[in-house]
């Protein structure tokens, strides 16, 4: 058994004994009816030592995740996503923001989102932009 392991075992035994001593001192305090008795705690206990917490590594230039707000029911009817897939620009209409946010936060080859916007229906069956929520 290495020296360090033996030392650690003895330090743990020492701390157990000191915990027993603390309990005895607490009982003395109880017998005295709460009156203080001059018993100083021993210094240098491993349990009283401050330990350094490992520092967290800072995020490396990661962009904040895309979050899309809910639609305003009075002025907005859906979301429109405009993206490039294999160099062709495409556009889709969605009523749920969750899959769009998931897609915007996932890097895919040959696929790039250009913008996500809110839209409202027009009289002629088309869609009119209300607000741009995300641009690349």
């Amino acid at each position: 058994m290495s020296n360090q392991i033996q030392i650690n075992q003895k330090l743990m035994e020492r701390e157990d004994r000191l915990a027993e001593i603390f309990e005895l001192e607490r009982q003395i305090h109880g017998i005295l009816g709460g009156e203080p008795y001059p018993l100083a705690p021993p210094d240098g206990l491993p349990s009283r030592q401050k330990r350094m917490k490992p520092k967290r590594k800072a995020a490396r230039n990661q962009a904040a995740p895309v979050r899309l707000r809910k639609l305003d029911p009075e002025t907005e009817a859906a979301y429109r996503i405009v993206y490039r897939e294999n160099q062709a620009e495409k556009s889709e209409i969605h009523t749920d923001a969750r899959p769009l946010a998931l897609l915007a936060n996932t890097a895919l080859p040959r696929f790039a989102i250009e913008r996500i916007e809110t839209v409202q229906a027009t009289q002629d069956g088309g869609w009119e932009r209300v607000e741009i929520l995300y641009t690349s």
Side-chain angles (χ1 to χ4, degrees):
M1 198 180 296
S2 76
N3 288 342
Q4 189 61 46
I5 292 173
Q6 290 175 341
I7 290 170
N8 287 343
Q9 285 178 336
K10 294 302 175 187
L11 287 173
M12 289 187 322
E13 278 183 46
R14 176 178 179 253
E15 192 158 350
D16 289 342
R17 301 295 182 267
L18 289 171
E20 292 170 7
I21 291 169
F22 175 77
E23 179 58 31
L24 292 171
E25 290 174 352
R26 202 174 65 104
Q27 291 174 8
I28 290 170
H29 185 71
I31 292 171
L32 294 174
E35 294 289 321
Y37 190 82
L39 298 170
D43 292 331
L45 295 177
S47 62
R48 291 180 163 229
Q49 293 174 357
K50 291 191 177 188
R51 293 180 181 21
M52 297 286 292
K53 291 184 180 179
K55 293 182 180 178
R56 290 186 173 189
K57 294 181 181 178
R60 294 182 184 164
N61 297 332
Q62 291 181 342
V66 174
R67 295 177 188 255
L68 300 175
R69 63 169 176 76
K70 292 183 178 182
L71 295 171
D72 179 1
E74 294 180 18
T75 60
E76 300 167 333
Y79 300 94
R80 176 169 41 202
I81 180 171
V82 179
Y83 61 94
R84 288 201 169 275
E85 184 176 26
N86 295 325
Q87 303 303 323
E89 184 173 286
K90 298 181 180 181
S91 149
E92 295 178 4
I93 301 294
H94 294 268
T95 56
D96 189 4
R98 289 176 293 194
L100 298 178
L102 180 62
L103 185 61
N105 291 313
T106 305
L108 298 171
R110 298 182 302 270
F111 184 91
I113 296 176
E114 292 191 358
R115 69 182 176 276
I116 299 174
E117 53 197 18
T118 60
V119 292
Q120 67 179 3
T122 61
Q123 295 288 340
D124 61 354
W127 297 98
E128 180 180 282
R129 179 189 318 153
V130 177
E131 181 181 357
I132 296 176
L133 300 178
Y134 169 80
T135 58
S136 60

